Amino acid sequence: EIKKLTIPKDGTFSVDIPFKEGENTISTKILDQKGTLSDLSNVINVTYKKSKPLLEISNPEDNASVVSNDAFVVVQGKTEEENSITVNGRFVLLQKDGSFSYKTPLSEGSNTITIIATDQAGNQTTIERHVTYSR
């Protein structure tokens, strides 16, 4: 139990709830004027995480040059398995161990590849790689 409130006639209320790191569960009960206690309200689960997600990029190196007839580079890396990954805005499938590999297209000249890991709490880690492509 965090707090007991007297609810105003309009039914609105606000409560500051201190979250602990990880999973938190929120629910309410109402005690009416006759002393009858209601069942639990809808239960809300909230994930609170302060730290940013792990994101390691093993390929490509920053400022890499790609000389090839194939205008692609393979982005490889690792994050925690519960995170999501995007490469230049495209969702990438993770392996069970959190590793990923994604073949992304390149344009002639300078390219910026943006890799973003997002955890369940919405925290993000972003890494950019700059790659120069020529045929």
Side-chain angles (χ1 to χ4, degrees):
E1 184 175 291
I2 300 293
K3 190 156 193 165
K4 289 184 179 182
L5 303 170
T6 301
I7 307 297
K9 290 183 182 184
D10 68 3
T12 62
F13 65 94
S14 174
V15 178
D16 288 330
I17 299 172
F19 288 136
K20 63 178 172 51
E21 184 90 15
E23 293 293 321
N24 294 268
T25 303
I26 303 168
S27 64
T28 61
K29 288 186 178 183
I30 297 174
L31 181 64
D32 66 19
Q33 292 176 345
K34 296 177 185 176
T36 305
L37 191 60
S38 72
D39 291 331
L40 276 180
S41 67
N42 291 340
V43 176
I44 300 170
N45 293 308
V46 176
T47 301
Y48 177 65
K49 186 177 175 197
K50 295 180 200 177
S51 60
K52 292 187 174 202
L54 168 78
L55 178 57
E56 299 171 350
I57 304 301
S58 56
N59 193 65
E61 293 291 325
D62 197 22
N63 299 314
S65 292
V66 175
V67 179
S68 171
N69 288 330
D70 189 19
F72 289 92
V73 68
V74 176
V75 178
Q76 294 176 306
K78 188 167 182 145
T79 188
E80 293 106 346
E81 61 188 50
E82 65 275 3
N83 295 342
S84 65
I85 293 288
T86 60
V87 174
N88 288 344
R90 305 282 234 160
F91 281 100
V92 175
L93 293 176
L94 293 178
Q95 300 300 313
K96 290 182 182 180
D97 65 354
S99 65
F100 60 91
S101 180
Y102 181 75
K103 190 174 180 179
T104 191
L106 297 172
S107 301
E108 189 78 26
S110 180
N111 294 264
T112 300
I113 301 169
T114 304
I115 307 104
I116 301 174
T118 305
D119 67 19
Q120 293 175 326
N123 299 314
Q124 294 186 328
T125 298
T126 302
I127 294 178
E128 286 189 345
R129 291 290 194 247
H130 301 90
V131 176
T132 301
Y133 170 70
S134 61
R135 291 182 190 241

